[in-house]
Amino acid sequence: MEYLDNLNSNQKEAVVHENGPCLVIAGAGSGKTRVLTYRIAHLIKNGIDPYSILALTFTNKAAKEMKNRIEKIVGTEARSLWMGTFHSIFARILRTEGYKIGYPPNFVIYDTIDSKNLIKSIVKELNLDPKIYKENFVYNRISNAKNRLISPLEYKNNPIFQEEDSSSLRPMISEIYKKYTERCFKSQAMDFDDLLYNTNILFAEHIDILNKYQQLFQHVLIDEFQDTNYSQYLIIKRLASVNRNIFVVGDDAQSIYAFRGAEIRNILKFEDDFDDLKTVKLEQNYRSTKNIVNAANSVIDKNKSKISKEVWTENDEGELISIKKSFSDNEEGKIVSNLIFEEKNRNQLTNSNFAVLYRTNSQSRSIEEALRRIGLKYKVFGGVSFYQRKEVKDLIAYLRFSVNQNDEQSFRRIINYPRRGIGQTSVEKIITISNKENISLWEVVTKSSTLLNSRINNLLIPFRDLIISFSNFSKNNDAFSTASHIASNSGLLKELWDDRSIEGISRYENVQELLNSIKEFIDNEENTEKKLDNFLQEISLMTDQDKGEEEEEGEYISLMTIHMAKGLEFPVVFIVGVEEDLFPSQMMISSREDLEEERRLFYVAITRAMKKLYLTYSKTRYRYGMLKDCEISRFIKEISPIYLDIENFNVTKSLVKNVIKEKTKNLSPIKKLKISSLPAGDPSQIDELIEGKKVKHHIFGIGTIKKIDLNSNQKKAIVNFKNVGEKTLLLNFAKLKVIN
């Protein structure tokens, strides 16, 4: 069993565990995938039939990678494993057993788009306002109910749900849910949530089927256990209740999907359901430096709902965590892009060595713009580049068309958005006449009373008047006033605001960020021309660099939300926008549970970094078109300051004091007295500061000048202080006093 030689003692303990329930708490970078892989290989090597092993993951990619690794150890036997995502495995079971609950083997699986289109149809059939009953919102509401195993009837009879729907002015959601379920069943279709919901129904109502799979699966293994929801966990618990050979791997500190229904209590209270539970903790981190690991520990330690563990590493001490302050989000983007450029040149790194992580998608805008300006290639993961997002392109189309009514592409984009009854047939008639008469589409609209029938003409008149009003407004107002006016009066902002789903909120934030960028444009003194067409020219030149799919080729800097970054690692990581109300999110500080989820998210972000971590925050940021003061995030303040680089004075005075406190807390009273009782005096002149001289600093105490750099723009000195170690100081601010 030579494969066991590649494991540390704790990993090996988990892998060779014989029978009974086992919980593996796997800290960040501790080799979780290796343990799960080797565990399955070990079972097969010890005579367990692969067909009797059920291994559940959250992504097809994870399942495929693990199966390939297992196959390298045990051979082709691994192909018989029941390994895949929750949805794929339970779909497989339902194909065989679904007839018990009225479904044929060839039932259809609706994807998200299919489901939303059906909801849209039902809303229309019920004569409900589609702007209120947005398909995204309704879909998420139904999905959440199913994942909590709440049927349409239970939903209707639940006073809490009814009160929530009434207060959001959507009292008919229970009726939509009922009809949606009926229509899916009539079509012999299941959506993604049904694959779990119906498996639970199948096992609850047909004990013979449950018994069959309880006997079949001698071992049940779960990856990313902290991400399971109520529905998933109930299936797992039922399947493992006979043989009790359930092996789950996860990390409570990385539970960050509560908004998707993930329940952290599944991992925190696992022993309540399996009282003979064996717990193994994987605490050695193989990914990150000591400073990064310890900084992450000092943050997550502030959470109360957690499983006690102390992640550690044998890796190098590494660099301190750099904190960079900017005065605006645009400057933040420039700082990040310049640091990447410098790191690449100084350390011979490639673009793929870098990741920029943010709390919300809208934050990518300033980073993207800065990277473009200095020619650094990037890729936005989990979404498209900021200026390619639908809602951003929609508003830009309105802005472009308000300036230039000959813009055919913009015309086609906005003519019926938000919906105004001008369907594709009407648009095609406009195009036909445009081509026939050799005039622009806009001219057809302005002459619609003579060129088109009365029905289409009546629909076009409000649109024509709207565009004319926008055009006139733009001539007399700056870019921001015009864009804000158009965003509001076009109905676009309301359209997005009314969709209170997670996706809808994100789209609304993206439009607000576009407006923020326009406000920043007009506030910039370098931009003497502040009209809308000047702004459009600037972004046209910028977005012209978009290469679509080609951007994915070669080496690129990774841009993504922190949620998207989970499970990934990069040598150099930037976490941007680490400010109060942004991170932690303003929407996630109403309860201790929410705040702890945000802190776990920050922990996940920190632990993506292998060698170097930058945290950036801005003193001001445009929010809803207004420049607002920002405060450094409490999460930065929660990092033990001994792991922070404060040499550039980019952090608050309180943090500096905390550093000194931490650095000196273990010193003798005499040494502490020497630091705190240094005599005052005027600082020495810069030309008096020579390498080898002893100096005193008002905070760091006594040290020796190791190196002087007077040739750069910012004169610096490297000083080795007795009690706080080596520091690089800017001489214009350091106020050093020569004492020998």
Side-chain angles (χ1 to χ4, degrees):
M1 297 186 182
E2 65 282 354
Y3 58 92
L4 296 177
D5 297 338
N6 299 321
L7 304 171
N8 65 37
S9 59
N10 290 58
Q11 290 173 334
K12 187 175 179 179
E13 182 184 1
V15 167
V16 302
H17 169 71
E18 291 190 3
N19 292 306
C22 182
L23 168 62
V24 180
I25 300 297
S30 64
K32 164 183 72 68
T33 304
R34 171 175 287 191
V35 166
L36 199 54
T37 301
Y38 282 28
R39 168 67 178 169
I40 296 168
H42 185 73
L43 290 172
I44 297 170
K45 285 277 193 181
N46 282 271
I48 301 297
D49 183 352
Y51 192 73
S52 69
I53 298 173
L54 171 63
L56 295 167
T57 67
F58 275 85
T59 65
N60 290 312
K61 183 184 175 186
K64 187 179 178 181
E65 285 178 358
M66 278 196 278
K67 192 173 262 190
N68 289 339
R69 291 190 195 182
I70 296 165
E71 196 168 330
K72 286 179 181 177
I73 301 173
V74 304
T76 55
E77 280 188 275
R79 296 175 188 178
S80 302
L81 285 163
W82 284 72
M83 174 174 267
T85 64
F86 283 85
H87 293 96
S88 67
I89 293 295
F90 298 135
R92 180 178 170 184
I93 290 174
L94 287 166
R95 293 281 185 210
T96 305
E97 316 293 351
Y99 71 94
K100 290 276 192 178
I101 54 174
Y103 287 90
N106 63 341
F107 65 80
V108 176
I109 298 176
Y110 280 175
D111 63 18
T112 305
I113 294 172
D114 294 327
S115 296
K116 289 179 180 179
N117 285 337
L118 177 55
I119 289 168
K120 196 186 296 184
S121 299
I122 293 168
V123 167
K124 187 177 181 180
E125 291 164 17
L126 292 172
N127 295 315
L128 300 173
D129 188 339
K131 293 181 178 180
I132 296 175
Y133 289 90
K134 285 278 195 180
E135 59 267 20
N136 285 338
F137 183 92
V138 178
Y139 173 82
N140 286 332
R141 195 76 174 152
I142 293 172
S143 175
N144 290 335
K146 285 184 183 179
N147 285 324
R148 292 156 72 181
L149 302 183
I150 296 165
S151 70
L153 183 60
E154 289 169 325
Y155 188 99
K156 185 179 181 179
N157 294 332
N158 187 302
I160 295 173
F161 298 148
Q162 294 311 302
E163 173 58 32
E164 288 174 349
D165 290 343
S166 293
S167 61
S168 70
L169 304 178
R170 298 177 178 95
M172 292 293 288
I173 285 181
S174 60
E175 185 64 22
I176 299 171
Y177 183 13
K178 176 174 174 286
K179 286 195 176 296
Y180 175 79
T181 304
E182 291 169 351
R183 293 278 286 277
C184 284
F185 186 76
K186 186 179 177 183
S187 301
Q188 299 290 270
M190 296 189 202
D191 64 21
F192 290 143
D193 297 313
D194 285 330
L195 297 174
L196 304 175
Y197 183 89
N198 286 333
T199 301
N200 270 299
I201 289 176
L202 178 70
F203 288 163
E205 295 181 355
H206 299 275
I207 302 302
D208 57 327
I209 302 297
L210 175 60
N211 289 340
K212 173 183 172 181
Y213 288 95
Q214 286 173 332
Q215 297 302 325
L216 172 60
F217 299 133
Q218 295 180 37
H219 290 268
V220 178
L221 302 97
I222 319 294
D223 189 22
E224 303 286 8
F225 183 58
Q226 77 281 346
D227 295 335
T228 53
N229 62 31
Y230 175 73
S231 183
Q232 289 163 331
Y233 181 53
L234 192 57
I235 298 170
I236 296 162
K237 191 167 70 169
R238 279 174 166 153
L239 287 173
S241 62
V242 173
N243 289 312
R244 297 179 63 79
N245 292 326
I246 183 168
F247 186 94
V248 303
V249 182
D251 183 8
D252 58 296
Q254 297 186 68
S255 179
I256 59 173
Y257 292 116
F259 67 95
R260 289 186 192 167
E263 295 199 9
I264 192 172
R265 71 169 307 280
N266 290 348
I267 192 168
L268 295 178
K269 305 293 184 183
F270 190 52
E271 63 181 351
D272 292 354
D273 293 319
F274 296 93
D275 52 9
D276 54 341
L277 179 69
K278 178 182 179 67
T279 300
V280 181
K281 295 178 182 180
L282 307 183
E283 297 172 304
Q284 183 175 0
N285 177 295
Y286 292 94
R287 175 185 299 155
S288 308
T289 64
K290 281 189 174 69
N291 273 318
I292 292 170
V293 168
N294 292 335
N297 286 343
S298 70
V299 169
I300 203 64
D301 191 53
K302 307 299 188 296
N303 274 5
K304 292 183 179 178
S305 298
K306 63 180 185 294
I307 296 171
S308 177
K309 62 179 174 296
E310 188 65 32
V311 180
W312 58 277
T313 185
E314 289 182 346
N315 293 340
D316 294 339
E317 201 78 23
E319 295 184 54
L320 295 172
I321 294 168
S322 291
I323 299 179
K324 300 295 181 183
K325 177 176 71 176
S326 62
F327 290 96
S328 69
D329 52 356
N330 273 4
E331 190 190 25
E332 181 180 51
K334 291 173 187 174
I335 289 172
V336 169
S337 60
N338 289 338
L339 284 168
I340 292 174
F341 187 83
E342 290 169 12
E343 287 269 7
K344 281 182 67 176
N345 292 333
R346 187 169 61 246
N347 299 317
Q348 289 75 56
L349 300 175
T350 64
N351 285 345
S352 60
N353 293 138
F354 297 89
V356 183
L357 310 182
Y358 32 79
R359 180 63 180 85
T360 63
N361 268 308
S362 61
Q363 291 171 257
S364 78
R365 193 266 311 166
S366 58
I367 308 297
E368 288 185 60
E369 289 182 5
L371 292 173
R372 286 173 190 269
R373 285 193 175 99
I374 61 174
L376 289 172
K377 198 171 183 180
Y378 68 88
K379 180 183 174 183
V380 178
F381 283 79
V384 295
S385 177
F386 182 82
Y387 286 104
Q388 295 303 317
R389 293 169 192 167
K390 178 187 178 303
E391 58 278 7
V392 173
K393 290 177 74 89
D394 287 339
L395 180 53
I396 288 175
Y398 264 106
L399 304 182
R400 283 170 50 178
F401 198 71
S402 298
V403 171
N404 174 16
Q405 285 83 52
N406 292 316
D407 184 348
E408 181 177 333
Q409 292 306 310
S410 294
F411 174 86
R412 288 171 179 258
R413 193 170 191 99
I414 68 173
I415 182 65
N416 198 40
Y417 182 78
R419 295 187 191 99
R420 48 178 64 90
I422 305 171
Q424 190 57 37
T425 305
S426 299
V427 173
E428 286 171 1
K429 284 182 181 177
I430 295 170
I431 294 169
T432 301
I433 293 172
S434 167
N435 293 332
K436 183 182 175 183
E437 301 291 329
N438 197 24
I439 57 177
S440 71
L441 299 178
W442 177 247
E443 282 187 82
V444 177
V445 172
T446 59
K447 299 174 181 176
S448 60
S449 60
T450 57
L451 295 173
L452 294 161
N453 63 48
S454 59
R455 188 189 67 82
I456 300 176
N457 177 56
N458 290 337
L459 291 170
L460 287 173
I461 288 172
F463 175 70
R464 181 189 66 203
D465 293 346
L466 191 70
I467 298 300
I468 291 171
S469 72
F470 290 166
S471 180
N472 291 334
F473 192 97
S474 70
K475 292 171 185 173
N476 301 310
N477 292 276
D478 62 44
F480 177 70
S481 299
T482 303
S484 300
H485 177 80
I486 292 172
S488 297
N489 290 281
S490 65
L492 189 148
L493 268 183
K494 186 176 185 306
E495 177 89 0
L496 296 171
W497 177 257
D498 287 344
D499 181 1
R500 302 310 292 160
S501 66
I502 294 167
E503 300 88 346
I505 291 168
S506 178
R507 286 193 285 270
Y508 181 81
E509 286 176 345
N510 284 332
V511 168
Q512 288 295 342
E513 180 59 26
L514 176 61
L515 294 174
N516 291 339
S517 72
I518 301 173
K519 185 65 165 66
E520 200 157 6
F521 170 83
I522 70 160
D523 287 350
N524 187 342
E525 292 179 358
E526 293 178 9
N527 298 324
T528 54
E529 299 293 331
K530 302 183 185 294
K531 290 296 180 68
L532 183 58
D533 54 346
N534 304 116
F535 173 79
L536 291 171
Q537 177 179 306
E538 180 164 290
I539 64 165
S540 294
L541 294 171
M542 190 182 307
T543 56
D544 186 55
Q545 300 171 33
D546 280 334
K547 297 187 179 92
E549 295 298 316
E550 294 175 12
E551 199 121 55
E552 298 187 14
E553 298 174 5
E555 298 276 344
Y556 45 75
I557 299 158
S558 297
L559 273 59
M560 65 188 80
T561 65
I562 301 164
H563 284 99
M564 185 61 58
K566 188 170 173 289
L568 304 177
E569 60 183 33
F570 303 89
V572 184
V573 170
F574 292 82
I575 309 172
V576 300
V578 192
E579 303 145 24
E580 285 294 297
D581 295 340
L582 188 55
F583 198 10
S585 166
Q586 191 172 17
M587 294 184 290
M588 296 294 289
I589 54 176
S590 57
S591 68
R592 181 175 66 83
E593 290 77 15
D594 285 347
L595 182 59
E596 292 201 350
E597 174 110 348
E598 286 289 287
R599 189 175 285 113
R600 290 193 293 271
L601 190 60
F602 188 56
Y603 174 85
V604 167
I606 292 173
T607 55
R608 299 312 93 197
M610 300 164 71
K611 300 291 186 184
K612 178 68 181 174
L613 176 63
Y614 291 92
L615 306 177
T616 72
Y617 73 102
S618 180
K619 292 294 290 179
T620 62
R621 192 174 293 271
Y622 282 92
R623 304 292 293 271
Y624 305 108
M626 296 179 63
L627 191 62
K628 297 199 174 178
D629 291 335
C630 302
E631 183 185 345
I632 189 170
S633 171
R634 70 189 76 189
F635 292 155
I636 290 180
K637 297 175 183 178
E638 288 176 356
I639 300 174
S640 180
I642 59 176
Y643 308 121
L644 300 177
D645 177 8
I646 61 162
E647 69 185 36
N648 294 317
F649 300 94
N650 277 341
V651 293
T652 61
K653 289 179 181 179
S654 63
L655 274 180
V656 176
K657 290 176 182 176
N658 287 341
V659 170
I660 305 305
K661 183 180 176 183
E662 291 282 338
K663 293 276 190 184
T664 61
K665 68 181 180 183
N666 296 320
L667 299 178
S668 68
I670 295 172
K671 285 186 176 179
K672 285 184 181 180
L673 181 65
K674 286 182 179 177
I675 290 176
S676 60
S677 62
L678 289 170
D682 293 332
S684 301
Q685 297 296 313
I686 289 177
D687 58 10
E688 298 178 61
L689 304 175
I690 304 168
E691 291 175 9
K693 286 280 189 182
K694 276 192 176 179
V695 292
K696 71 177 182 188
H697 185 270
H698 65 292
I699 293 177
F700 299 133
I702 294 175
T704 303
I705 298 176
K706 187 176 174 182
K707 188 177 179 181
I708 289 280
D709 180 7
L710 301 178
N711 297 319
S712 62
N713 292 332
Q714 296 182 315
K715 299 177 175 62
K716 303 176 185 176
I718 298 174
V719 183
N720 193 0
F721 291 101
K722 282 184 181 179
N723 297 306
V724 295
E726 198 171 278
K727 294 289 175 186
T728 302
L729 304 174
L730 299 176
L731 296 180
N732 288 331
F733 302 99
K735 298 179 181 179
L736 294 173
K737 173 75 175 173
V738 175
I739 58 174
N740 73 332

